[in-house]
Amino acid sequence: MEFWFSEYQSKNVKMSYRIRMQLHREKTKFQELAVFDSEDCGRMLILDDVVQLTMKDEFVYHEMMSHVPLFTHGNAKKVLVIGGGDGGTLREILKHPVEEAHLVEIDEGVIEAAKNYFPELSVAFKDERAKIFCEDGIAFIKDKKNFYDIIIIDSTDPIGPAVGLFAKEFYNNVYEALTEDGIFVAQTESPFFFSELLKRIYKDVSSIFKYTNVYIATIPTYPGALWTFTMGSKKINPLERTVDKIDFDTKYYTPEIHKAAFVLPAFVKKII
Ligand code: AG3
């Protein structure tokens, strides 16, 4: 008997995974959550039928979400992740000598699933520099002023509870919560399937931050495979920063990749 899981990558494109076993399924307070063990991609976390991560390629996304802003900043002490309840982004942040890494995840179910099924990611929760808040990130950030060096928005797609994390008003609050040389990064979807969204975000972020840059990575299990991250920086020009060396292990990120990631294909440049 064959058991397949499919995600609609767009209205007319599906990506399917052959599943070995369903490990968990529940309706949390906010969404439907599933953990599958798949043949070729290993364990996968699914929220509302959308693949959030697979063990095969999670390193690309989590390394690029974290190391690009952290090395661009160069001296981050306080870092905030909004979303990212699986712990993958936090794990990468904690490879840097930060003092505090806060994570605000709205859905406790995601944190529990990570603890039970993704120990390689949720290992980050045990670090004494990590502090986990089960709250709405939009409300959490409103009263924070001039506090975080880096803010990373590790959200789901802009549907359901994540819609507000793609709004201009939220980016304004992120700006206020950052220190004077602070940097923020958000995952901003595929330029193939979500070009309008990317365009709008770029416009909103540029109207708030001194520097706005998009960078890219290849993530085979996300729609379009080519994925964008949008960075807003208050003072540091990301394109003037070079990274000489890194003193921990990575699987995707290197100093060369850091530089190359800001080089955009012509059609992406045209979108933004
Ligand atoms: N954040 C979700 C990325 C969006 C995936 N979209 C999709 N498959 N349609 C990932 C959370 C991992 N920390």
Side-chain angles (χ1 to χ4, degrees):
M1 192 174 74
E2 291 189 8
F3 175 20
W4 289 77
F5 165 76
S6 303
E7 171 180 346
Y8 279 96
Q9 295 208 333
S10 75
K11 201 170 144 237
N12 305 301
V13 177
K14 268 184 185 180
M15 168 105 151
S16 300
Y17 302 81
R18 191 169 179 165
I19 303 302
R20 261 191 220 129
M21 210 194 317
Q22 175 180 302
L23 300 172
H24 185 72
R25 199 153 168 188
E26 70 173 301
K27 270 206 185 337
T28 72
K29 230 171 102 190
F30 296 95
Q31 50 211 338
E32 184 171 5
L33 183 158
V35 180
F36 296 135
D37 188 15
S38 70
E39 287 293 343
D40 288 356
C41 296
R43 289 191 177 187
M44 322 172 50
L45 175 67
I46 320 283
L47 295 176
D48 285 340
D49 294 310
V50 172
V51 174
Q52 301 301 315
L53 64 93
T54 84
M55 288 312 290
K56 184 85 171 170
D57 61 350
E58 59 83 14
F59 64 92
V60 184
Y61 178 87
H62 293 131
E63 290 182 13
M64 292 303 278
M65 273 299 251
S66 318
H67 303 318
V68 177
L70 274 132
F71 279 116
T72 299
H73 186 280
N75 187 29
K77 299 285 176 237
K78 292 193 175 72
V79 181
L80 172 67
V81 183
I82 295 186
D86 50 80
T89 299
L90 195 62
R91 176 195 66 201
E92 296 304 316
I93 290 166
L94 292 167
K95 291 179 178 173
H96 295 258
V98 300
E99 286 168 5
E100 284 175 60
H102 297 171
L103 182 136
V104 188
E105 164 64 55
I106 197 167
D107 192 343
E108 205 175 352
V110 175
I111 293 178
E112 285 311 306
K115 284 186 190 156
N116 292 331
Y117 300 102
F118 297 95
E120 302 88 343
L121 284 74
S122 56
V123 59
F125 301 155
K126 294 182 191 142
D127 191 296
E128 58 185 24
R129 295 168 295 160
K131 203 163 169 196
I132 317 298
F133 302 85
C134 257
E135 287 173 42
D136 177 3
I138 297 168
F140 180 91
I141 201 156
K142 273 191 186 145
D143 60 345
K144 307 286 178 301
K145 302 282 172 242
N146 193 25
F147 188 76
Y148 293 105
D149 302 306
I150 309 270
I151 297 178
I152 298 175
I153 320 299
D154 185 1
S155 70
T156 53
D157 292 352
I159 32 175
V163 172
L165 298 175
F166 292 84
K168 188 171 172 186
E169 189 194 345
F170 173 69
Y171 298 142
N172 269 319
N173 293 334
V174 166
Y175 187 93
E176 295 298 322
L178 285 166
T179 50
E180 55 162 6
D181 59 355
I183 293 179
F184 114 97
V185 169
Q187 75 84 3
T188 46
E189 309 282 330
S190 157
F192 286 107
F193 293 130
F194 295 87
S195 60
E196 284 308 312
L197 179 80
L198 178 62
K199 190 187 182 71
R200 204 262 298 150
I201 292 172
Y202 187 85
K203 192 170 143 253
D204 287 350
V205 176
S206 333
S207 72
I208 301 168
F209 284 82
K210 178 154 190 226
Y211 298 101
T212 304
N213 291 88
V214 171
Y215 63 91
I216 53 174
T218 301
I219 306 174
T221 62
Y222 287 171
L226 182 69
W227 208 250
T228 65
F229 303 84
T230 301
M231 174 185 277
S233 173
K234 280 174 120 167
K235 195 166 168 190
I236 298 160
N237 179 352
L239 301 181
E240 281 172 4
R241 282 289 221 235
T242 48
V243 184
D244 307 323
K245 65 168 182 63
I246 51 176
D247 47 16
F248 49 75
D249 280 343
T250 53
K251 287 202 269 184
Y252 187 90
Y253 179 92
T254 63
E256 294 81 11
I257 286 281
H258 185 120
K259 199 160 180 232
F262 289 96
V263 179
L264 302 176
F267 86 99
V268 181
K269 276 207 232 168
K270 218 166 155 185
I271 294 171
I272 59 177

